[in-house]
Amino acid sequence: MNLPKSKVVFSAEELNARIKELGAQITADLNDGKPIVCVCVLRGAVLFFADLMKYIDSDQVVFDFVTLCSYENALAVGGNMQTTGKIKLIQDMRESVEGKHVLVVEDIVDSGNTVAYLRQYFENKNAIDVKIACLLDKPMTRKVPVDVDYVAFTLERPAYIIGYGLDDDQKYRNLNAIYEMVTD
Ligand code: 5GP
């Protein structure tokens, strides 16, 4: 396969070991016999979701899927132009979450806009609680404060990531490791 200039940041083995730990932690935390609706945020979280689900040891897990789109809006605030992240739900859930645990499985928490939106969305639907799991946290680029309950890995530098579900122009999602794109 031809890849853009990039380097491996987390190997397939590292991903598997860490996701196994997260699965055990989630199993212990949500083990009260109530249903757990696990929500995959398409498309970037799809491989993380598939692997994480295999490590949650519970007969109460159900799967659901949402697709969001985010876009930047230019806003005039006090005479200055500013950009704000706007999130739109373009494919909604099929399961009810009322009286159930919700586990949102997201690829990357970057600005925090997507996770903030999803937490509010599920809290408004009367879930017992809403937990967020993410593959990669990028705290440096946060624009809104968010609580992320389960973080597989944290990246403390600016980077554009591909592989293991994450794309560059819809490509490279099928790589089995996480890569950082590098410039010369
Ligand atoms: P947010 O800014 O709302 O926290 O994150 C929005 C989305 O931007 C993430 O779910 C992810 O799909 C995308 N994103 C953020 N950083 C990266 C990155 O380094 N690589 C890729 N492929 N997508 C990213």
Side-chain angles (χ1 to χ4, degrees):
M1 189 187 326
N2 286 323
L3 290 185
K5 206 158 187 292
S6 56
K7 61 179 185 194
V8 173
V9 188
F10 302 109
S11 67
E13 293 71 26
E14 287 173 295
L15 289 170
N16 185 55
R18 180 68 187 124
I19 291 167
K20 192 173 180 179
E21 286 176 356
L22 278 192
Q25 203 184 335
I26 292 166
T27 303
D29 290 352
L30 301 181
N31 193 17
D32 61 0
K34 304 249 172 64
I36 310 165
V37 182
C38 297
V39 182
C40 176
V41 184
L42 295 172
R43 288 176 253 185
V46 69
L47 296 191
F48 176 44
F49 182 83
D51 284 342
L52 182 62
M53 291 303 106
K54 291 183 271 185
Y55 292 122
I56 300 179
D57 184 10
S58 164
D59 56 9
Q60 292 300 317
V61 166
V62 298
F63 290 1
D64 213 331
F65 302 87
V66 291
T67 306
L68 303 170
C69 84
S70 76
Y71 51 95
E72 292 283 319
N73 248 357
L75 262 190
V77 180
N80 298 318
M81 289 305 281
Q82 294 188 356
T83 57
T84 59
K86 291 275 179 201
I87 308 293
K88 193 173 162 204
L89 191 64
I90 56 174
Q91 183 194 316
D92 202 351
M93 303 270 293
R94 294 172 70 177
E95 298 291 325
S96 156
V97 300
E98 189 164 347
K100 303 174 186 172
H101 297 293
V102 171
L103 176 70
V104 175
V105 181
E106 171 64 311
D107 54 2
I108 296 185
V109 183
D110 188 23
S111 68
N113 285 318
T114 305
V115 161
Y117 174 94
L118 285 169
R119 189 179 280 286
Q120 190 64 58
Y121 180 78
F122 288 117
E123 283 174 359
N124 290 345
K125 290 186 177 293
N126 300 323
I128 299 172
D129 51 15
V130 181
K131 303 280 189 196
I132 311 279
C134 84
L135 175 63
L136 208 59
D137 188 12
K138 288 175 156 183
M140 277 184 66
T141 41
R142 197 74 89 250
K143 289 183 187 161
V144 294
V146 285
D147 290 328
V148 185
D149 303 277
Y150 307 102
V151 176
F153 297 99
T154 301
L155 207 60
E156 300 283 1
R157 60 179 185 278
Y160 193 80
I161 299 301
I162 57 169
Y164 197 64
L166 296 156
D167 73 311
D168 178 35
D169 199 16
Q170 297 306 329
K171 293 189 291 186
Y172 315 119
R173 293 190 194 272
N174 54 322
L175 297 172
N176 71 353
I178 291 184
Y179 292 70
E180 175 179 349
M181 302 221 329
V182 291
T183 47
D184 293 320

